[in-house]
């Protein structure tokens, strides 16, 4: 069942099994607010088992581009298109959020972003990345990193 993420009243719906559920919910709400304000898009997620194509697309990009395999269980995912950019998000039980921004135009920007919820350690599979800190009213301190996608997906 899909869930429209409310960034006014933050809820842990769908994220309850995460040890950092409150922070992960804040991170998810932060993303929802961004897409609503920038694109007018309503950020809707569904359980990962109902979003298999999205989870598999993100997983395949990680494996093919950087040989990264995420050890945490995916809880929720969403995939959508805004202004000719294909977006995908996967929220993991550990508190990790991975997003793929894939410009559909020739020469469009393409990148994978990692965001760590407040209170979680950097997963060993992402230890080689440097994470910058960002403050968020909804999510506390978010640590983020990214890499540029080089191949077609």
């Amino acid at each position: 069942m899909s869930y429209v993420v409310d960034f006014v009243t933050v809820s842990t719906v769908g994220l309850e099994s995460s040890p950092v559920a409150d922070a992960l919910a804040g991170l998810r709400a932060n993303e929802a607010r961004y897409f609503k304000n920038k694109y007018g898009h309503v950020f809707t997620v569904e359980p990962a088992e109902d979003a298999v194509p999205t989870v598999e697309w993100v997983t395949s990009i990680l494996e093919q581009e950087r040989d990264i395999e995420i050890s945490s269980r995916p809880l929720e995912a969403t995939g959508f298109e805004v202004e000719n950019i294909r977006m995908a998000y996967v929220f993991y039980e550990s508190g990790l959020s991975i997003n793929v921004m894939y410009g559909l135009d020739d020469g469009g920007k393409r990148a994978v972003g990692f965001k760590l919820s407040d209170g979680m350690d950097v997963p060993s599979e992402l230890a080689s990345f440097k994470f910058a800190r960002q403050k968020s009213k909804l999510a506390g301190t978010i640590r983020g990193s990214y890499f540029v996608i080089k191949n077609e997906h």
Side-chain angles (χ1 to χ4, degrees):
M1 178 180 220
S2 64
Y3 170 71
V4 174
V5 179
D6 184 349
F7 55 86
V8 176
T9 306
V10 179
S11 170
T12 59
V13 167
L15 307 173
E16 298 89 353
S17 66
S18 173
V20 291
D22 289 337
L24 184 56
L27 180 58
R28 181 179 67 181
N30 189 63
E31 301 300 328
R33 179 178 59 196
Y34 171 80
F35 280 98
K36 182 65 174 170
N37 291 342
K38 182 158 177 95
Y39 301 104
H41 174 77
V42 176
F43 199 83
T44 304
V45 294
E46 57 188 344
E49 58 269 14
D50 295 338
V52 171
T54 300
V55 174
E56 287 178 347
W57 187 61
V58 171
T59 300
S60 72
I61 291 172
L62 293 171
E63 288 174 355
Q64 292 170 22
E65 293 282 331
R66 294 291 181 100
D67 199 27
I68 295 172
E69 187 175 330
I70 303 300
S71 60
S72 183
R73 180 172 73 97
L75 296 178
E76 290 186 331
T78 185
F80 54 92
E81 198 175 304
V82 290
E83 294 185 6
N84 222 24
I85 301 169
R86 181 177 175 191
M87 296 296 306
Y89 275 82
V90 181
F91 297 93
Y92 294 86
E93 194 166 40
S94 64
L96 173 67
S97 168
I98 297 179
N99 71 76
V100 173
M101 176 186 75
Y102 195 85
L104 299 173
D105 295 328
D106 287 341
K109 292 181 182 180
R110 296 176 176 172
V112 173
F114 305 107
K115 291 187 180 173
L116 308 177
S117 294
D118 214 357
M120 74 171 284
D121 293 329
V122 176
S124 60
E125 58 268 33
L126 301 179
S128 64
F129 290 88
K130 293 188 182 211
F131 287 85
R133 294 181 183 275
Q134 168 190 345
K135 292 280 188 189
S136 163
K137 288 181 181 177
L138 293 170
T141 301
I142 301 170
R143 291 165 290 155
S145 191
Y146 74 97
F147 69 83
V148 174
I149 296 172
K150 296 188 171 146
N151 300 302
E152 297 288 321
H153 295 277

